[in-house]
Amino acid sequence: MPYAMTDDMPMVDSPDGEDRSRREEEELLIAERLHIFASRLSKLCTEQVAKKNQIEQRWLDDIRQYHGEYASDEAAKLARQKGSEVFVNITRNKTNAAEARLQDMLFPTDDRNFGLYATPVPELDYLSKQQPEQPDEEEPIAQARQIKAAATEAAMAMQEVIDDQLLESRYHIKARDIIHDACQLGTAVIKGPIIIGRTKKRWDVMPDGMSVLQIVEALEPTVERVDPWDFFPDMSAKAVDEAEFIFERRRLSKKQLRDMAQLPGVLVSQLREIVKTSARDTHIAKDFTDDIRNITGINTVGEGNKYEIWEYHGPISKSELIDAMEMSDEGIEDYEKDELDDEVEATVFFAGNRVIKVSLNPMDSDERPFSVFNWEKDESSIFGFGVPCLMRSAQKVINASWRMMMDNAGLSVADQLVINKELLYPADGSWDMTPKKIWYLRDKTRSVQEAFSSFSTPSHQVELANIFSMARQLADEETNLPLIAQGEMGPHTTKTSSGMAMLMNSSNIVLRKAVKNWDDDITRPLVTRFYDWNMQYNEKAEIKGDFSIEARGSGALLVREKQQENLMIYSNLSMAIPEFAKRRDWAELDREIAKSLEVPYDQITLGDEEIAEMEAMNMEMASMQVDPAQQKMQLDMQLKQVDLQIRMGKLELEKQKAQAEIANDEAQVQLQIAKMAQVERLEMMKLEIQERIKLAELQTQYRISGNTTGVRAAIDSEKIRTERDKAAAATNTRLTEAQLKNRNLNLGYDTFG
């Protein structure tokens, strides 16, 4: 008989209802524990944000100095003083020079800055399975060689794979961005490998010859730049490897949060609660974007309605992992419950007091994906010092000295005037000083000096210029970036190529240190993590093996000038010593020399076949016999040509000697002509004076004695004139002889020519 329910019967929960209530209670308990978990992380993050505030204020000063801006309080002080407010920005040039030099050294256009090499005892699983069961005495050596060759080949294959992954992730471009961060702020952060879904296009050729486009989506490792303003590590650590945990801030819109809900492992219920709240409720750290925009001259636009999503990398308890992943105790029964092993390395996404996603560290090595590079390390902190911070004092001295020069120039270029208004007044009614101004004295008994006085301000441009120059030298020394490292001519440049190479080598000392820091802090750990990821997840067995990572930024890629010199010395030494010469691979040495000189080796080098053809042609030409009579005729002609050249040379020397003698005689003739002309002028002047004296005497006697005396005076005057004509004729004769001699000399010169 079926059981019928009546209204007066008590309600009894069905088994499904009991399970649903139990699940709801469990979900509420899990949500409460996740709330406590997120609150703990939020509190820990807030502590690191407060500790980092001092460093962020220093970064703001660095950015202001880089862009040539004074701090607000200093700008207000200069405005009150009503003096010069100029900013002589040499910080930007220094920073850009350091950035450009470091980029050029670390990322050459013709090679990578890392390499993979097989370890001395490589362990290759797929080769170990191929060992024979009963090897003879020679087989171990052959197997060792085979294993070594296979390991080298696998290392090269792994190197190509990592290089391709870095190229696909645009590592070089992102590395240049973090180099800018390091030079400007002193700290740069790169993150990788991180896994993203990348879409690739592939054309498949069908049997009928048609090509079909295939869209393939693959999960591949990549790298990304982390903004130093969004990087909050354990502030008590001195290096990133010592940090107990790391926080990274992300700013996402609601649309990005909705897209995030599609990712696997995201707690959608927690994400839904975050979206219901205001974006400001998720903010923990101050956003300095508006401050940076104000410095660069952009109006404040604000960040809008962006949520702060925090990414935590560090240890969490197993119970927190269970709650976040909604796992049961049976799901982690392999974990041991002890104090030392109660934590696991995980990545947690949270906002406010809500946990969004928790995942275990995907790397078996438990390495975190962050690498930090400092331009100059701070031994007490993860964050280092940039170029603006290092030259802060020198920049202040430069600005102060230049402002004083401008103020002093403005004061010393014009006098200070003192005017007594009781003694005078301007005609136009204005007391401003203008050119051609008219003034009226009120009291005509007083002088204008009593009404006007002027005072000059002495000029100190030389002293201030010396201070400016010394400050620039201090900036070079404090940053270790001399003018020659910036591509400018310094005061100690040399004119010789070897001396210039030594100066360039010396100017790279600090850059070598920075390159070595990059090798140790970025290249080696980043490539190692990519190597570990490929060993763990890559399906290609032929690329796997026991390899070592070599960072080559501070080696062959650093100072090419020194490498060129060493290669040339080594090649000359090998050519001089036969024992060395037979050990050299000359083709590879030629390739290395061309590579160091940055010339296209493949375009200018002949191949083996072309060289063989040229050698065969030369041998064929050498084997050809020459007619002895024709050879004797050629030698005789060569001897005649040599003899003719000798005779022509002798004639040329004689001609030059004769020309020199003719030129000397001509100069002597001209000198004699000049002397005779001078003597003639003197004699003519003498005769003229005597004639005047004689005429004066004759005129006097004529007045005294009458006509008889006048006749006699005329006779005497005629005699004097006759003597003068004779002297002139003699002078003309001498001039004619000199000209005749000069003509003969010219005639002899023309005859010789």
Side-chain angles (χ1 to χ4, degrees), residues 538-569:
N538 201 311
E539 298 178 356
K540 298 179 180 179
E542 64 272 11
I543 69 171
K544 298 184 178 182
D546 188 9
F547 308 139
S548 60
I549 312 299
E550 180 189 17
R552 300 185 301 192
S554 58
L557 302 179
L558 184 57
V559 186
R560 291 184 177 270
E561 294 84 1
K562 188 64 176 177
Q563 185 183 14
Q564 295 168 10
E565 182 181 355
N566 292 339
L567 283 173
M568 295 305 298
I569 293 175

Side-chain angles (χ1 to χ4, degrees), residues 254-472:
K254 282 188 177 182
K255 179 181 182 304
Q256 291 172 317
L257 290 179
R258 287 194 294 269
D259 295 339
M260 187 177 182
Q262 306 300 322
L263 298 177
V266 174
L267 304 179
V268 180
S269 60
Q270 298 292 314
L271 190 60
R272 188 179 298 113
E273 295 296 327
I274 294 173
V275 175
K276 291 179 181 179
T277 62
S278 173
R280 292 188 175 274
D281 295 339
T282 62
H283 291 185
I284 298 177
K286 174 178 169 48
D287 185 9
F288 290 94
T289 304
D290 289 343
D291 298 310
I292 298 174
R293 286 171 175 167
N294 288 331
I295 293 173
T296 56
I298 302 176
N299 294 331
T300 303
V301 295
E303 279 296 302
N305 192 20
K306 292 293 184 69
Y307 291 82
E308 275 190 0
I309 306 299
W310 290 87
E311 183 177 343
Y312 168 83
H313 294 261
I316 63 174
S317 65
K318 294 176 182 178
S319 59
E320 292 170 339
L321 177 64
I322 295 171
D323 292 336
M325 300 180 68
E326 298 183 352
M327 294 172 63
S328 63
D329 291 340
E330 289 77 13
I332 55 170
E333 60 184 4
D334 295 335
Y335 290 141
E336 297 180 1
K337 303 293 184 178
D338 57 54
E339 295 181 357
L340 294 179
D341 194 28
D342 190 37
E343 292 182 339
V344 292
E345 187 72 20
T347 301
V348 182
F349 292 86
F350 70 96
N353 295 327
R354 301 286 181 178
V355 173
I356 300 175
K357 179 182 178 181
V358 179
S359 61
L360 290 173
N361 192 326
M363 303 296 295
D364 291 344
S365 59
D366 281 344
E367 287 193 35
R368 294 164 189 160
F370 296 96
S371 295
V372 179
F373 168 68
N374 296 325
W375 174 257
E376 183 161 317
K377 290 182 178 294
D378 182 4
E379 296 180 355
S380 62
S381 173
I382 293 177
F383 302 96
F385 303 102
V387 176
C389 181
L390 295 176
M391 59 177 299
R392 184 103 69 218
S393 299
Q395 181 67 69
K396 289 182 178 179
V397 175
I398 288 173
N399 290 336
S401 61
W402 192 259
R403 291 198 307 267
M404 293 175 67
M405 289 179 68
M406 295 297 100
D407 295 339
N408 182 251
L411 292 174
S412 61
V413 73
D415 294 343
Q416 299 289 331
L417 299 179
V418 179
I419 302 175
N420 190 346
K421 292 184 177 182
E422 296 180 356
L423 297 182
L424 79 168
Y425 64 94
D428 57 359
S430 175
W431 292 93
D432 295 335
M433 300 298 297
T434 58
K436 298 182 180 181
K437 194 175 185 68
I438 300 175
W439 301 82
Y440 296 116
L441 282 173
R442 299 180 187 275
D443 188 355
K444 296 181 180 180
T445 62
R446 309 290 289 274
S447 63
V448 69
Q449 286 76 15
E450 299 180 45
F452 278 105
S453 294
S454 63
F455 299 92
S456 300
T457 301
S459 175
H460 299 283
Q461 299 297 306
V462 177
E463 295 87 346
L464 295 174
N466 291 335
I467 296 176
F468 183 87
S469 299
M470 287 189 293
R472 290 204 65 179

